[in-house]
Amino acid sequence: MRFLVRLLINAIALWLTTLLVAGVHVVPFAPGDTLAWVLTYLLVALVFGIVNGVLGSIIRVVAFPLYILTLGLIALLVNALLLLLVSWITSLLGFGLVIDGFWWGVLGAIVLAVLSWLIGILIRPLIGGRR
């Protein structure tokens, strides 16, 4: 249940990010109807969750001294690189996330993180989460 809620939160945050950040957009798969858009956002959120959960965790452990040295600012670059990796992986599938450049990736990662944090805070009371 928690996984599906996080997936939905990330998909909504990704959708809002594409509306707010001009250099980040999503290309749906074949039909291009509403269902294709929704499934594309869910698939991109799933890929992002897997990449962030597996590779992001490894990077955070290995680069822990850099996180301390830069007071956590390196996280902006790591998140941007992970977002660019998701863009590359989904482009291999022929649809998905498209980022116009590295700095758009940095801005997209910041906006995505803030939006998913806010949505998580708003949804937590509705699903009976921890306080």
Side-chain angles (χ1 to χ4, degrees), residues 28-105:
F29 58 89
D33 59 350
T34 304
L35 180 62
W37 280 98
V38 170
L39 289 176
T40 302
Y41 279 107
L42 288 172
L43 285 173
V44 171
L46 178 65
V47 171
F48 181 71
I50 292 170
V51 167
N52 198 23
V54 175
L55 192 58
S57 297
I58 293 170
I59 291 172
R60 285 179 198 94
V61 168
V62 171
F64 183 71
L66 285 175
Y67 277 81
I68 292 174
L69 187 64
T70 63
L71 302 175
L73 292 177
I74 191 81
L76 298 174
L77 299 177
V78 169
N79 289 340
L81 291 173
L82 290 174
L83 203 59
L84 287 168
L85 180 63
V86 169
S87 173
W88 178 73
I89 290 171
T90 57
S91 71
L92 293 176
L93 301 173
F95 63 92
L97 188 64
V98 177
I99 300 175
D100 294 338
F102 177 75
W103 294 110
W104 286 115

